[in-house]
Amino acid sequence: MWKQFLSKLPRKSSKSDASSGSTRSHPINNGTTSINGNPIQRTSSGNVVPSRSTAVKRTASAIFPSSVVTSIEPLLLFKDVPNTEKQNLFISKLNLCCVVFDFSDPNKNSTEKDMKRQALLDLIDYVDAGSSRFTEPMISASCKMFAMNLFRAFPPNNRSSAGGGETEEEEPMFEPAWSHLQLVYDLFLKFIESSSLDAKIGKKYVDHSFIVRLLHLFDSEDPRERDCLKTILHRIYGKFMVHRPFIRKAVSNIFYQFVFETDRHNGIAELLEVFGSVISGFALPLKEEHKIFLWKALIPLHKPKTLGVYLQQLTYCVTQFIEKEPKLASSVIKGLLRYWPVTSSQKEVMFLSELEEVLEATNMVELQKCMIPLFQRISFCINSSHFQVAERALFLWNNDHVISLVSQHRQAIMPVVLPALERNTRSHWNQAVLNLTQNVKKMLSEMDEELFLACKTKFEEEEARQMIMEEKRRMTWERLESIAAFRPVTGNTSVLVRPAIAPPVVAERALFLWNNDHVISLVSQHRQAIMPVVLPALERNTRSHWNQAVLNLTQNVKKMLSEMDEELFLACKTKFEEEEARQMIMEEKRRMTWERLESIAAFRPVTGNTSVLVRPAIAPPVVTALS
């Protein structure tokens, strides 16, 4: 059996053959060979695969030069040959390892697999020893062997990712050929790390095509393989400086495809782990290319629902950028607010955890640029009915740096946060959240008691005013109903029907339209006509809607419109406020006119057919807001 296998491998030639050896090609590189009676068919790309119809197709790497003709027995040990022949033996063993076996059946070609395994172990020991520099033929043969063993097409992933949660990882699938692949990866790593490898020669074979195929392997479902690839990619990035921009661009493309197209990739965490080390080595000041990578690649990675799988690595990368250049903190916070989850409580908890780490690296100046929308979002989280979200938001106040930031900007932050704390105190169902709320209120009170009491008084006045408006509205409708009760319904007489307040699901559903990318695109193209129509409704919701979820969604839509065209947004908002002020002046004039007429009519007796002055009921503003 061994003789049949070795007959296809190069052997030591005689002196008479040496003169004609330059025209001989390696027997393993052409035609069809047989191993243990099983035919092995060579593909057009140079791979050796079983000729069975069920064979797994493997992809080749970049085009390599023709393999160097060697004239030495590959099963010899390196210690058994002179130094002048070790390079030839190295290449001969590499050619032996280019044969790819089918590992789905462990009993098939077991002898030949053992021979290949032993050859790989010999190669690892030789490279680890670092006895001599690698020649170009040795580098070429090595890269060819790595390509033929590692680069392959993965089977389609039939497991759906829709059913899992944000942090739920599926059961990993292990590569059946790992016993040999692990040795190839070990050899690859030692080869790249070896001081015997000249980077100037190696970059010709570890080229762009080779790197792209290597990055494709990060989608492997075997976590052991991804872990090896992570280390190898880091070493390649460090060894071949000329390839660094290309590697960054290629990894960015993987992130873009994952976020905006497939929503599925197995190696995002490993790639981010590599880039965490890369980012820490960026020179200052940061290049514009690196900032674009943060804004367009890393920040959008918060969008996928599988964020929990790679959140730790992503958070590290983002905080590294802020530590390198603190001015990026406000951009990062705005990016988090942009992708803040609305319907997923699990992701909200993750965002709050990352936000705390970002705030720890944020200075006072950068916080000022985004503190109002930031603490508005934190207030919404404090009022969340999901106790874990509320707890995580309240835990932010246990961070000394966050407390320091709040203390220095308390005049702006406390009026935003305190109403949320008061609402929690009155109506939250969870006892742990109530206890944390009381603790935070105590902190704010000790921070600035005068401001705390002023904010609390303002909130109570606002609540009382809202209750008075609701009571007036109720009494108005009751009076109208009592008047209508004495009028018979005849002919076309209108029937007074008390309007039912639209349940929050209607308002929520209307606001959910803005989560549709196509709708946003349409609105963006016609914003000059649409925004003046929509913004007044959003402003009325903000002022008077009773449902907290609707208020949160309203704030999100207002934020979208503001980011779409801030100048137009501010113009529409100003126009609405002017219209509101003008309406209030008109209502006041109308009220005073009726009071004057009533005072005049009070001194005139009612006799005969004298008309009786009845002051019309003025619908309170809440009717307009809810209609």
Side-chain angles (χ1 to χ4, degrees), residues 410-411 414 443-453:
R410 58 184 178 274
Q411 295 291 340
M414 201 179 293
M443 285 183 194
L444 295 179
S445 176
E446 293 172 352
M447 189 182 294
D448 191 332
E449 188 172 2
E450 185 178 352
L451 177 60
F452 178 86
L453 293 174

Side-chain angles (χ1 to χ4, degrees), residues 86 189 235 326 398 408 574:
K86 284 185 178 179
L189 179 60
R235 299 298 186 272
N398 289 340
Q408 297 191 38
T574 302

Side-chain angles (χ1 to χ4, degrees), residues 348-464:
E348 273 197 286
V349 173
M350 295 178 206
F351 270 61
L352 287 166
S353 299
E354 182 174 359
L355 180 62
E356 182 174 1
E357 296 197 33
V358 171
L359 286 174
E360 284 184 347
T362 304
N363 56 39
M364 303 293 174
V365 177
E366 291 304 309
L367 182 67
Q368 283 182 328
K369 298 177 183 179
C370 57
M371 62 183 177
I372 298 302
L374 170 62
F375 280 92
Q376 283 176 344
R377 173 55 61 187
I378 292 174
S379 298
F380 295 150
C381 294
I382 289 172
N383 286 143
S384 174
S385 58
H386 194 292
F387 77 98
Q388 290 179 335
V389 176
E391 273 187 338
R392 192 63 190 83
L394 291 164
F395 277 142
L396 289 174
W397 307 91
N398 289 340
N399 188 297
D400 293 336
H401 186 67
V402 173
I403 290 293
S404 173
L405 294 174
V406 171
S407 177
Q408 297 191 38
H409 299 97
R410 58 184 178 274
Q411 295 291 340
I413 294 173
M414 201 179 293
V416 176
V417 173
L418 190 61
L421 297 172
E422 286 293 331
R423 282 191 288 269
N424 260 18
T425 304
R426 298 180 184 186
S427 60
H428 206 284
W429 62 274
N430 186 269
Q431 188 60 46
V433 172
L434 290 173
N435 295 341
L436 289 169
T437 301
Q438 292 293 347
N439 291 341
V440 175
K441 285 178 65 179
K442 184 179 177 183
M443 285 183 194
L444 295 179
S445 176
E446 293 172 352
M447 189 182 294
D448 191 332
E449 188 172 2
E450 185 178 352
L451 177 60
F452 178 86
L453 293 174
C455 293
K456 186 175 180 180
T457 302
K458 184 179 178 181
F459 170 75
E460 290 171 349
E461 290 173 353
E462 189 67 32
E463 286 281 289

Side-chain angles (χ1 to χ4, degrees), residues 36 57 62 107 141 177 203 281 294 308 316 338 344 379 388 399 452 482 484 491 505 510 548 558 598:
N36 199 21
K57 184 178 179 181
N107 298 320
K203 70 182 182 182
L294 169 66
Y316 179 77
R338 180 183 179 188
S344 173
S379 298
Q388 290 179 335
N399 188 297
F452 178 86
S482 63
V505 69
Q548 188 61 42
K558 285 177 65 178
E598 285 174 344

Side-chain angles (χ1 to χ4, degrees), residues 533-547:
V533 177
V534 174
L535 190 62
L538 298 173
E539 286 294 331
R540 284 191 288 269
N541 261 17
T542 304
R543 298 180 184 186
S544 60
H545 204 285
W546 61 273
N547 185 268

Side-chain angles (χ1 to χ4, degrees), residues 59 146-147 149-154 185 188 210-222 225-226 229 254 265-267:
T59 58
F146 298 144
N149 280 275
L150 300 179
F151 299 159
R152 61 202 188 278
F154 294 120
Y185 276 118
F188 194 2
F210 189 96
I211 291 169
V212 168
R213 292 172 183 268
L214 185 72
L215 291 174
H216 171 72
L217 296 177
F218 275 90
D219 202 18
S220 169
E221 296 193 14
D222 193 328
E225 182 169 15
R226 298 198 302 270
L229 287 164
I254 291 175
H265 195 283
N266 294 313

Side-chain angles (χ1 to χ4, degrees), residues 17 242 337 346 358 384 450 483 491 572:
D17 295 335
V242 69
L337 294 176
Q346 276 185 297
V358 171
S384 174
E450 185 178 352
I483 294 170
C572 294

Side-chain angles (χ1 to χ4, degrees), residues 282-299:
F282 283 163
L284 294 178
L286 290 176
K287 296 179 182 178
E288 192 65 23
E289 172 206 344
H290 302 330
K291 296 178 184 178
I292 291 173
F293 176 75
L294 169 66
W295 297 325
K296 294 191 175 181
L298 293 185
I299 296 299

